[in-house]
């Protein structure tokens, strides 16, 4: 399969954040000026850990899905299947995860929403059991 799935190159292995992912991801930083934008590519089954984008004011993250199929889920909410063209607005202070479907490569642009005193808190991995049982509209956590 051609891993160059969109007009944005997938970049190199995402070694700097490998500890916060299950499976292999790739990162191509498209912008480090004005607004930080990274093209993140996930191999099938790859997902990031639960995490929170903290900010005193503003902040959060915006995902623009460019290729493949994946998942997004907020803590205590049903998972949402993602496809090219989907947009996900993630407010600051919301615990969430995102990643590829088990049978598909997945790519999105991750845009850091500007804010004051922004920082990420990485939490626990999404369990294998919870990941493999994902169904759109069903809650993982109560």
């Amino acid at each position: 399969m051609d891993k160059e799935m969109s007009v944005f190159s997938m970049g190199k292995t995402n070694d700097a954040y490998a500890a916060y992912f299950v499976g292999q991801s790739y990162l191509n930083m498209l912008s480090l000026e004005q607004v930080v934008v990274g093209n993140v590519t996930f191999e099938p089954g790859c997902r990031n850990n639960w995490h929170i984008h903290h900010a005193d004011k503003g902040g959060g993250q915006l995902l623009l899905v460019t290729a493949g199929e994946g998942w997004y889920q907020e803590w205590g909410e049903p998972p949402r299947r993602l496809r090219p063209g989907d947009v996900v607005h993630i407010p600051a202070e919301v615990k969430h995860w995102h990643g590829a479907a088990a049978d598909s490569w997945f790519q999105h642009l991750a845009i850091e929403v500007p804010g004051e005193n922004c920082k990420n808190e990485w939490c626990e991995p999404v369990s294998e059991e919870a990941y493999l049982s994902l169904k759109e509209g069903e809650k993982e956590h109560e």
Side-chain angles (χ1 to χ4, degrees):
M1 173 179 183
D2 179 12
K3 295 178 198 163
E4 299 299 339
M5 301 168 30
S6 73
V7 297
F8 301 106
S9 170
M10 67 188 277
K12 297 182 180 184
T13 56
N14 188 7
D15 298 332
Y17 293 92
Y20 308 115
F21 284 74
V22 173
Q24 185 64 61
S25 66
Y26 301 82
L27 180 62
N28 178 11
M29 293 307 299
L30 302 176
S31 173
L32 295 173
E33 299 176 23
Q34 295 178 302
V35 176
V36 176
V37 180
N39 182 42
V40 185
T41 303
F42 301 77
E43 70 179 6
C46 177
R47 68 262 185 199
N48 53 32
N49 289 4
W50 288 97
H51 59 286
I52 304 166
H53 302 281
H54 294 291
D56 292 341
K57 182 177 180 184
Q61 188 177 49
L62 175 66
L63 304 178
L64 304 176
V65 179
T66 56
E69 288 196 11
W71 291 99
Y72 168 77
Q73 185 174 23
E74 294 180 2
W75 188 264
E77 297 298 325
R80 175 180 164 195
R81 185 171 284 274
L82 299 177
R83 294 177 177 87
D86 286 344
V87 177
V88 181
H89 296 271
I90 308 165
E93 309 307 325
V94 172
K95 188 174 183 179
H96 67 282
W97 71 271
H98 35 103
D103 60 353
S104 177
W105 283 83
F106 178 62
Q107 193 174 76
H108 65 53
L109 300 182
I111 301 167
E112 290 184 28
V113 177
E116 294 178 9
N117 298 316
C118 294
K119 64 181 179 183
N120 291 341
E121 175 186 357
W122 290 98
C123 306
E124 69 276 9
V126 176
S127 73
E128 191 72 11
E129 178 182 44
Y131 177 78
L132 292 175
S133 67
L134 283 171
K135 293 185 177 124
E136 196 162 19
E138 292 182 8
K139 290 186 180 183
E140 176 187 344
H141 293 88
E142 293 301 320

